[in-house]
Amino acid sequence: MRIERLKTYLIFFTLVILQLFIFSGVNVASAASDEQDIEILIENFNAQDVNVKADSVKALVEAGETAVGPLIQALDSKDPEIRENAAITLGKIKDERAIDPLIKLLTDEEWEVESAATNALVEIGKPAVEPLIKILQDKNEDVFLQTKVIAVLAGIKDERAIQPMIQALKEKSELDADLGYNLGLMGEPAVEPLIQVLDDEDPRVRVRAAEALGRIGDERAIKPLTDALNDKDETVRTFAKMGLESIETQKKNTLIATYGKEREFYIEDQRREWFDQLNKICDLSRDPLEPYTYPQGPVISSGWGIENRIGVGILEGSEVNNSTLDNIYNVFDRSGKEIGVNDVPVVFNYEGFVQDDLVIEQDTAEENEENRESEELNVSEEINGAKEANETKETAKDLQSPVSIPGPGMMFVLSELLISALIVNRR
């Protein structure tokens, strides 16, 4: 009896060891196959067919961590399309190992690659904030890179970046235009800190604070900006007035109606193709739209924008009914169908003509800032020269960690264990 039990145990352990051995072989083969597939998918990033590119990105995003190492290596490719779509894919995977390699890509010579790196870091989000702030605070860092970092931080909108951005505004005049714009994208958390720097001793800082507060549109800024109308610096007064007008404009609900179907895109190549189609639709619609254009009609502007749709501006105070809007939309819809596009997305908004006094104010502000802009131009030329000279790129290290993914082999192991256990119980 004991001998029979020993035989049973021996058979059981033999099966386990055998299946583990088989599983090990299957896993290695599968991993090798996966690596080959990943390389093929990366090569598809420069395919002629945009859908092939998009499908390759989707497949690599599904692969997840396994694809991160090869994708980081692809950021050093000589082909800009491969660099761009590798950056897009890493942004969608959101692996923190990609942060430093993507930051290096912010100064890529191709704007499409640079834009993809920016968007990827924004998608990764909070884990990228500290490395980006460190670059912004480095007094010896390349100014061109810092301007790109500012845009990324504004895209992430993390509160930790607000004070470092304001400090940079005080310390680096060559960054003030970028900081004035992007601090205005930081939203509600930036309002109080910006109100405080409206009292800064440097008029350049006060100007950019007023600009940012106007862009945010928070009503808490109304009184401080009203007080700034009495600032001793004329440029500050001009920007304070424009900021108050911007806040007032944002209170208005200018939306009239939306038509058609909004489009969503997985990669930028798809979006660029769509922009080309929208541009053709606008060109085809120019003459048929003439009867509805001011002064014959209420339309004062039309064109496509980065929102992936066509915008039509209707003169404020005009009386437009659904029939008129339908007729205007049909102009764009017919043009779309001519090139094979159905349900063209169009949004109608009320707009006003740009007032002459505002143009004069802007011209005055620009004149007052002429010397500052001249300095910024010189800095920009130095940055571009340095950028062109720096063509050698540091090869990204492959930080991929091996990952075992359960497959058929594991299922066989589990099933054999169960069968063996049942045999033992019966014995």
Side-chain angles (χ1 to χ4, degrees):
M1 188 67 179
R2 289 181 179 178
I3 294 175
E4 290 297 323
R5 286 184 179 178
L6 287 172
K7 287 182 178 179
T8 300
Y9 293 147
L10 181 61
I11 292 171
F12 173 80
F13 286 112
T14 301
L15 286 170
V16 170
I17 293 170
L18 179 62
Q19 288 298 334
L20 286 173
F21 177 77
I22 293 173
F23 169 72
S24 176
V26 170
N27 190 48
V28 170
S30 176
S33 176
D34 287 344
E35 289 176 6
Q36 292 173 0
D37 291 342
I38 288 170
E39 292 301 326
I40 292 172
L41 289 169
I42 291 174
E43 289 174 5
N44 286 342
F45 284 168
N46 64 357
Q48 293 295 318
D49 190 332
V50 172
N51 292 324
V52 171
K53 295 180 184 179
D55 289 341
S56 298
V57 172
K58 289 178 182 177
L60 288 165
V61 171
E62 291 177 1
E65 292 183 359
T66 308
V68 171
L71 285 167
I72 289 175
Q73 290 181 330
L75 294 179
D76 286 327
S77 171
K78 294 181 180 179
D79 189 324
E81 288 192 86
I82 291 180
R83 297 200 302 275
E84 177 188 3
N85 287 300
I88 289 172
T89 309
L90 287 166
K92 294 180 184 297
I93 294 174
K94 296 180 173 61
D95 193 296
E96 294 182 26
R97 288 174 288 169
I99 292 174
D100 287 340
L102 286 170
I103 289 175
K104 293 176 184 177
L105 223 59
L106 290 176
T107 55
D108 193 275
E109 58 188 9
E110 300 291 338
W111 73 266
E112 295 93 343
V113 178
E114 172 197 312
S115 176
T118 297
N119 294 333
L121 287 165
V122 171
E123 286 199 68
I124 292 173
K126 292 183 180 297
V129 171
E130 290 298 337
L132 291 166
I133 290 176
K134 185 176 180 180
I135 291 173
L136 180 60
Q137 293 176 326
D138 188 345
K139 296 181 179 179
N140 298 317
E141 187 56 82
D142 177 57
V143 174
F144 184 77
L145 174 59
Q146 289 178 324
T147 62
K148 303 304 176 183
V149 163
I150 290 166
V152 177
L153 289 170
I156 297 173
K157 293 178 172 55
D158 190 292
E159 293 184 33
R160 289 173 291 170
I162 294 172
Q163 287 299 339
M165 290 172 75
I166 290 176
Q167 190 61 35
L169 177 61
K170 295 179 179 181
E171 296 175 354
K172 297 189 175 184
S173 60
E174 61 269 34
L175 296 176
D176 65 353
D178 294 276
L179 287 163
Y181 178 83
N182 286 290
L183 278 165
L185 302 178
M186 294 298 289
E188 183 273 336
V191 173
E192 291 297 339
L194 285 168
I195 288 174
Q196 292 178 11
V197 295
L198 273 179
D199 293 326
D200 193 89
E201 60 182 14
D202 189 342
R204 177 183 57 81
V205 174
R206 300 199 300 275
V207 164
R208 298 307 175 182
E211 176 190 353
L213 287 168
R215 184 166 288 110
I216 294 172
D218 193 292
E219 293 187 4
R220 285 175 292 170
I222 293 176
K223 186 181 184 304
L225 286 173
T226 302
D227 293 340
L229 295 175
N230 298 316
D231 195 281
K232 60 184 179 181
D233 186 274
E234 184 178 0
T235 307
V236 175
R237 295 196 299 270
T238 300
F239 275 84
K241 183 177 180 181
M242 290 191 294
L244 288 167
E245 290 171 349
S246 176
I247 293 172
E248 187 64 29
T249 299
Q250 292 179 56
K251 289 181 183 179
K252 298 177 181 178
N253 180 17
T254 62
L255 178 64
I256 303 172
T258 58
Y259 285 73
K261 180 182 178 182
E262 295 283 350
R263 303 306 203 268
E264 294 182 0
F265 307 100
Y266 202 70
I267 61 173
E268 289 304 304
D269 279 314
Q270 293 173 316
R271 192 187 309 277
R272 287 193 284 269
E273 278 195 351
W274 176 244
F275 286 163
D276 288 340
Q277 291 178 315
L278 290 181
N279 190 51
K280 290 177 183 176
I281 292 170
C282 288
D283 287 342
L284 291 170
S285 302
R286 187 171 291 111
D287 291 338
L289 196 62
E290 191 66 31
Y292 302 99
T293 303
Y294 185 85
Q296 291 91 347
V299 176
I300 61 172
S301 69
S302 65
W304 60 270
I306 60 174
E307 299 85 4
N308 304 329
R309 59 193 181 188
I310 293 172
V312 178
I314 301 296
L315 181 62
E316 288 179 332
S318 300
E319 293 184 5
V320 289
N321 53 35
N322 290 337
S323 178
T324 303
L325 294 177
D326 290 345
N327 291 336
I328 296 172
Y329 175 73
N330 286 334
V331 170
F332 294 103
D333 194 42
R334 284 193 297 268
S335 298
K337 288 177 179 176
E338 285 186 37
I339 61 171
V341 176
N342 295 317
D343 297 321
V344 178
V346 178
V347 58
F348 292 88
N349 284 292
Y350 283 117
E351 291 181 4
F353 289 117
V354 178
Q355 298 176 4
D356 290 340
D357 59 344
L358 179 58
V359 174
I360 293 171
E361 288 172 0
Q362 290 174 330
D363 290 342
T364 301
E366 289 173 2
E367 186 176 347
N368 292 338
E369 291 282 291
E370 187 174 2
N371 292 333
R372 295 172 191 167
E373 290 176 356
S374 178
E375 293 175 1
E376 289 174 9
L377 179 60
N378 292 334
V379 172
S380 178
E381 290 173 350
E382 293 174 6
I383 293 168
N384 290 334
K387 183 183 174 187
E388 291 173 0
N390 184 22
E391 294 180 350
T392 304
K393 300 292 183 179
E394 180 183 354
T395 303
K397 294 180 180 179
D398 183 357
L399 301 178
Q400 180 185 11
S401 300
V403 179
S404 297
I405 302 175
M410 178 61 76
M411 298 303 296
F412 282 120
V413 171
L414 294 174
S415 62
E416 287 296 334
L417 285 172
L418 180 60
I419 292 170
S420 299
L422 290 172
I423 291 174
V424 170
N425 288 334
R426 287 184 179 180
R427 293 285 184 177

